[in-house]
Amino acid sequence: METIGIWIAALLTLGIFSFLYKDNPFYKFCESLFVGVSAGYWFVTTFWQVFMPKLADNLVAGRFYYIIGAIFGVMMLLRLIPKIGWISRWSLALVVGTTAGLYFTRYLVSNGMVQVQYTIISLYVKGNLSQTIGNLVIVIGTFSGLIYFFFSKEHKGAFGGLAKLGIWFLMLSFGASFGYTVMSRMSLLIGRMDFLLGTWLGLIR
Amino acid sequence: MRRQLPILIVFVSGIFMIIQYFIPHESFEFIYEYAMDWIIIIGIFAMLLGLWSLTRASVSKVQTKAPGWGYSVMTLAGLVAMIFLGVYKGNQSIAEGTSFMDIFWNIYTPIQATMFALLAFYIASAAYRAFRARTVMSTILLVTALVIMLRLIPLGPLSGINQTLASWILTVPNMAAKRAIWIGIGLGATATCLKIIFGIERAYMGKD
Amino acid sequence: MRKKNLKIFLILTFFCFLILPLSQILAQVDTLPPATPTEVRAGDTPNDNGHSITVTWKLSADDGAGRKDVVAYEILRSESPAGEFVVRGMVPAGNNTYQDRGAKEKEDKNYFPPHHDFYYKVRAKTLKSYSESEVAGPATAYGQWFHIGKLPVFVGTLAFTIMVLTFIGLARKGKELYVRPLAGIDAVDDAIGRATEMGRPILYILGLGTAADIATIASLTILNRIAKKTAEHKTKIIVPCMDPIVMSVAQETVKAGYLDAGRPDMYQEENIFYITSMQFAYVAAVNGIMLREKTATNFYLGKFYAESLILAETGSVAGSIQISGTDEIAQIPFFVAATDFTLIGEELYAASAYLGREPLLLGALKAQDLAKAIVMISLALGAFAASFHLDFFLRLFSVQM
């Protein structure tokens, strides 16, 4: 049984890799099977791990406030009936409004105020030249990066010069992120090669 | 009424969620927890809409014998099989060792891992196209990426210098740029939230 | 020889008699109780939901000083000063604070009732003995209606909201609002025109977020504008979705776009569809769509993760013009490398204002810029204050989450 499983996994692996050459029936078969299986897996796990504990168990335990959630959920399904499909907008409104309110303070604090707090650092550290330079670079880099994202003024003259410095900092950061990720992506490929050549074909141990 | 009521719901729920952030009292905590759970429950019901969309599209292709309809049969077969195998024994259907989990481990997991592994090829092809030192910006991108990539490779006498430089790049200028992006995103997202709550941005509500 | 052995025996016997009482004295010293903790105070924990009391005390004199044998403190609680005290928790030596907290649900066995008097004692413990403080109390827990620690955030919230509403008010009055050009936005019209000329569809990917992600909502507002343009050009737009709620909102959004363009009959709901909610299965299907439908223009706007590069590279192979935008910092480098135009971070949120050019949206953009200017001034002033150790100013920026 395990051998059959390994063979199926290996053939599907090769099917996906064949996409690197070009789109082909083997890849299309793997893709369509993947979509169907994944949608079914997601539905089943959501049903047992989310629906049952969040709704069914709470209603059985007498927490009837959850009926309100169920009512909004049923309103969502009314989209399938064209004449009264507009009722689903009430559920969408609850989702969108709650999200907007929740993330308003989250983004303001964690992306705004906390980042400003951490960037307020001394520009001169006595006896530590490297940290002084580092702090200067951080403050200048953050400042020029923000200049780049300023929408109200065209990037010309001194302002444009600062914005250019800002985009250089951004490019440096993007290059660093790119280089940082290469090794981890290679290790994913090594993992699949290990499976194909080791587990499936037994050529490497 | 059809458009006003949803906008009112957005406003009330949005304002409530902002206010509850500042109020630690348990009465607000309870309503916050219920609201978050209601969102999850709406998502669960919406799941049926998703399955309906997928099924309808696949069945339609099969019925009309559209090009590639055979693949839609595979999609439907996978979907139906997983749902049946996942519910017919109750919540024991998804325990380890069941057919449901066998399909997950032998079909879903290898395909997912392989899709992830494609990134190794794509990152190389993207680097080949992007890292051509034609402009100052692409030169900075190229040089920085090289310094960071090579930090784990033994380079003889240059290893120490490269690692120090890589470490400095990651902790200083990289951090500065990220802070600028984070602050910008924070302000942009916060403004978007306000626009949604006050009904200035309402395209997502649709029209009749 | 015998005399020598007798001498050794007598010396050993003497030492045994000396060590025995010495060890007993030492053993008695070990069991001596430590100095009691003093100044025990118990009071409501501030800025909480009303199910916690904080106990503080002055460290025992034998904690880190004196006999230095205190190893921990136990905190005991009772419902009356003379009642039975039960242990509520323990902290290591050197600590002089403990937060006694419990559940807020009455059916939970660890329920902590608010508005109920409790009495506390603190026990200093050594390895073999302990001593207890005086009883402190009564202490009552109650919930607060405002978190004082979040005052800076409250001020920031009010300030930003006032800024946004003010600029929107100015925009309503017809004030001219300039915004600089953005390459990614300027390319949208050309990209849609290209698709129209080639007779090929446009692919719009909303990302892998749900309707509970602000980036996805921002992308939906952009989709509305792009749908309107595609309707005007009579070009097909395909929107495969990963989340059913996002699919529902996208259908409403695109339909509204077609209505705005005066082409409601052209709207086809089957072009906005759900695939699956699993990351790489969704990507595999979208890759197939790109190559089989031969899309001329691809938009990737929203929340993306590791799959961003797979999408962008496949689109590149298919020969599509690609415009991307995300607030996921980790994915921006890949979009910059692999797509033709990238909206970086905040530019994604500004895009709907750029595309629609509606005064109200441009007004909100101006407020963002003003907030950014305030941030830059704060950074400059803050760096100056930090360099000269002006702590009062630095405390203004201390944020409690």
Side-chain angles (χ1 to χ4, degrees):
Chain A
M1 187 65 197
E2 198 185 319
T3 312
I4 296 171
I6 290 172
W7 270 85
I8 291 171
L11 291 172
L12 292 172
T13 300
L14 291 173
I16 296 296
F17 273 139
S18 69
F19 185 71
L20 291 167
Y21 175 57
K22 65 175 186 175
D23 193 24
N24 59 83
F26 195 8
Y27 172 79
K28 286 180 197 174
F29 170 83
C30 296
E31 173 209 315
S32 53
L33 183 64
F34 193 26
V35 167
V37 164
S38 68
Y41 174 81
W42 168 74
F43 173 79
V44 169
T45 50
T46 306
F47 178 78
W48 290 119
Q49 293 169 2
V50 184
F51 175 78
M52 292 302 285
K54 278 282 176 208
L55 186 59
D57 292 349
N58 275 315
L59 288 178
V60 164
R63 291 182 209 111
F64 295 113
Y65 289 113
Y66 284 88
I67 286 180
I68 300 173
I71 292 169
F72 275 105
V74 168
M75 280 190 216
M76 196 69 215
L77 291 178
L78 294 177
R79 279 191 72 76
L80 298 172
I81 305 168
K83 272 196 174 157
I84 50 171
W86 54 269
I87 295 176
S88 64
R89 288 184 197 150
W90 299 355
S91 305
L92 294 175
L94 183 67
V95 172
V96 170
T98 307
T99 302
L102 180 69
Y103 281 104
F104 176 86
T105 40
R106 271 195 200 175
Y107 273 104
L108 185 66
V109 173
S110 61
N111 279 56
M113 298 178 81
V114 167
Q115 297 308 319
V116 170
Q117 182 184 334
Y118 289 155
T119 314
I120 291 177
I121 46 181
S122 175
L123 294 176
Y124 173 67
V125 180
K126 199 174 176 184
N128 194 334
L129 181 64
S130 68
Q131 196 171 344
T132 300
I133 293 171
N135 287 0
L136 264 168
V137 170
I138 286 179
V139 173
I140 291 169
T142 308
F143 198 88
S144 56
L146 287 171
I147 293 275
Y148 173 77
F149 284 116
F150 210 72
F151 298 112
S152 302
K153 200 167 157 48
E154 207 169 348
H155 289 169
K156 276 184 179 168
F159 192 84
L162 273 172
K164 196 170 244 181
L165 180 64
I167 193 68
W168 287 353
F169 268 94
L170 291 175
M171 286 299 139
L172 195 143
S173 171
F174 297 153
S177 296
F178 204 101
Y180 200 80
T181 322
V182 168
M183 286 297 185
S184 62
R185 301 292 184 246
M186 293 299 160
S187 71
L188 296 167
L189 178 61
I190 291 167
R192 293 322 290 159
M193 288 296 125
D194 188 54
F195 167 74
L196 287 173
L197 298 174
T199 312
W200 181 42
L201 296 174
L203 295 172
I204 54 172
R205 294 203 192 284
Chain B
M1 176 66 179
R2 276 193 190 185
R3 261 179 86 83
Q4 270 76 40
L5 189 56
I7 291 168
L8 184 65
I9 293 173
V10 167
F11 179 76
V12 169
S13 53
I15 292 291
F16 172 77
M17 292 305 280
I18 293 176
I19 289 171
Q20 67 78 31
Y21 175 81
F22 299 101
I23 300 176
H25 198 275
E26 66 175 320
S27 51
F28 273 73
E29 217 176 48
F30 271 124
I31 304 174
Y32 164 81
E33 283 164 6
Y34 281 128
M36 299 315 318
D37 282 346
W38 293 342
I39 302 298
I40 294 171
I41 291 166
I42 293 171
I44 295 167
F45 278 85
M47 195 170 58
L48 296 170
L49 285 179
L51 287 182
W52 167 251
S53 171
L54 178 64
T55 311
R56 187 179 66 165
S58 302
V59 166
S60 165
K61 274 191 188 163
V62 173
Q63 280 177 337
T64 58
K65 297 276 191 287
W69 66 269
Y71 301 112
S72 298
V73 173
M74 280 313 308
T75 302
L76 286 169
L79 177 67
V80 169
M82 285 300 268
I83 292 176
F84 174 74
L85 291 170
V87 299
Y88 83 109
K89 269 195 212 170
N91 61 0
Q92 289 309 305
S93 310
I94 60 172
E96 277 302 328
T98 55
S99 308
F100 179 85
M101 290 309 289
D102 283 341
I103 293 178
F104 174 76
W105 288 120
N106 293 310
I107 294 180
Y108 177 85
T109 307
I111 297 180
Q112 181 187 251
T114 313
M115 288 293 301
F116 219 152
L118 291 179
L119 281 166
F121 297 95
Y122 288 135
I123 204 168
S125 67
Y128 172 74
R129 281 208 325 277
F131 291 172
R132 291 180 192 176
R134 282 185 293 215
T135 62
V136 172
M137 293 204 295
S138 55
T139 307
I140 295 173
L141 200 69
L142 166 68
V143 169
T144 320
L146 275 173
V147 167
I148 302 298
M149 269 193 275
L150 296 174
R151 80 191 189 286
L152 298 173
I153 313 288
L155 296 169
L158 292 175
S159 284
I161 303 166
N162 192 61
Q163 277 168 12
T164 309
L165 183 60
S167 177
W168 185 83
I169 288 173
L170 286 170
T171 52
V172 181
N174 175 52
M175 180 54 62
K178 283 207 165 96
R179 288 243 172 94
I181 300 175
W182 274 324
I183 292 170
I185 288 170
L187 295 173
T190 313
T192 303
C193 292
L194 274 179
K195 284 186 284 187
I196 291 165
I197 290 170
F198 286 113
I200 296 159
E201 191 68 83
R202 53 174 88 167
Y204 59 90
M205 274 296 135
K207 272 183 182 174
D208 292 314
Chain C
M1 194 64 186
R2 258 194 182 178
K3 260 190 185 172
K4 196 179 175 185
N5 286 344
L6 183 64
K7 241 193 209 171
I8 292 169
F9 174 72
L10 284 170
I11 292 167
L12 280 173
T13 310
F14 172 74
F15 273 111
C16 284
F17 276 110
L18 193 62
I19 286 165
L20 197 63
L22 203 62
S23 65
Q24 280 184 342
I25 291 165
L26 282 172
Q28 275 180 359
V29 167
D30 253 357
T31 59
L32 281 174
T36 59
T38 54
E39 294 179 33
V40 178
R41 306 262 185 276
D44 172 54
T45 305
N47 301 323
D48 75 334
N49 61 1
H51 294 275
S52 166
I53 284 173
T54 299
V55 184
T56 58
W57 60 90
K58 193 172 170 189
L59 296 179
S60 161
D62 293 323
D63 180 352
R67 286 206 302 275
K68 293 185 192 173
D69 55 358
V70 170
V71 294
Y73 294 94
E74 269 179 346
I75 296 85
L76 301 97
R77 185 183 83 182
S78 169
E79 297 192 29
S80 68
E84 188 195 346
F85 278 81
V86 291
V87 175
R88 288 293 294 171
M90 186 153 62
V91 296
N95 288 280
N96 67 342
T97 308
Y98 175 76
Q99 218 180 74
D100 180 17
R101 53 171 67 183
K104 59 186 184 208
E105 289 86 19
K106 283 192 180 144
E107 51 275 5
D108 195 308
K109 62 181 179 193
N110 195 27
Y111 173 60
F112 193 114
H115 307 290
H116 187 96
D117 287 346
F118 286 111
Y119 298 84
Y120 288 87
K121 277 194 296 196
V122 178
R123 191 187 271 168
K125 292 186 75 166
T126 65
L127 290 172
K128 289 187 181 172
S129 68
Y130 64 86
S131 64
E132 287 181 358
S133 67
E134 302 272 313
V135 174
T140 309
Y142 50 91
Q144 275 71 44
W145 289 98
F146 186 77
H147 194 303
I148 293 292
K150 292 180 180 174
L151 187 61
V153 181
F154 184 74
V155 170
T157 301
L158 272 181
F160 191 70
T161 308
I162 290 168
M163 271 192 269
V164 169
L165 293 176
T166 303
F167 273 98
I168 286 171
L170 285 170
R172 265 193 225 269
K173 286 177 188 165
K175 186 173 163 61
E176 190 69 29
L177 299 168
Y178 167 80
V179 286
R180 68 171 172 87
L182 272 183
I185 302 298
D186 292 341
V188 167
D189 280 332
D190 290 338
I192 295 174
R194 179 180 188 258
T196 310
E197 280 167 20
M198 295 171 86
R200 282 156 49 174
I202 289 168
L203 181 69
Y204 194 103
I205 307 293
L206 285 153
L208 273 65
T210 63
D213 289 307
I214 296 301
T216 309
I217 298 174
S219 181
L220 284 161
T221 61
I222 300 168
L223 173 61
N224 172 258
R225 275 107 179 135
I226 291 191
K228 185 180 171 197
K229 286 183 195 276
T230 60
E232 286 163 358
H233 285 76
K234 294 185 187 172
T235 308
K236 181 180 173 187
I237 184 166
I238 302 171
V239 187
C241 300
M242 200 186 131
D243 181 82
I245 296 183
V246 170
M247 177 194 74
S248 307
V249 181
Q251 286 169 346
E252 294 283 340
T253 299
V254 171
K255 191 173 163 189
Y258 276 67
L259 274 165
D260 287 341
R263 300 232 158 94
D265 47 304
M266 280 189 62
Y267 170 68
Q268 288 177 304
E269 196 175 87
E270 56 269 19
N271 288 342
I272 304 106
F273 52 92
Y274 169 83
I275 299 178
T276 176
S277 292
M278 306 299 270
Q279 181 185 17
F280 285 107
Y282 173 75
V283 169
V286 171
N287 281 357
I289 292 169
M290 273 191 229
L291 294 178
R292 287 159 221 155
E293 296 284 339
K294 295 183 178 43
T295 53
T297 301
N298 297 341
F299 289 96
Y300 311 111
L301 298 166
K303 208 157 208 50
F304 292 87
Y305 303 105
E307 75 295 332
S308 58
L309 194 55
I310 301 178
L311 291 170
E313 282 296 297
T314 308
S316 187
V317 164
S320 314
I321 289 266
Q322 304 191 99
I323 298 173
S324 59
T326 182
D327 65 347
E328 280 294 314
I329 293 182
Q331 304 311 316
I332 294 172
F334 302 114
F335 276 145
V336 166
T339 62
D340 300 288
F341 301 95
T342 305
L343 300 173
I344 301 171
E346 193 185 1
E347 292 172 348
L348 173 69
Y349 295 107
S352 72
Y354 269 84
L355 286 168
R357 292 278 163 176
E358 287 147 32
L360 300 188
L361 298 178
L362 288 174
L365 200 57
K366 288 291 184 184
Q368 278 171 239
D369 273 352
L370 178 60
K372 232 173 291 168
I374 292 171
V375 164
M376 286 190 271
I377 293 168
S378 304
L379 283 179
L381 289 175
F384 177 80
S387 304
F388 289 97
H389 305 289
L390 301 173
D391 291 335
F392 166 73
F393 189 83
L394 295 175
R395 255 181 267 124
L396 286 176
F397 289 93
S398 168
V399 174
Q400 268 189 47
M401 305 262 277

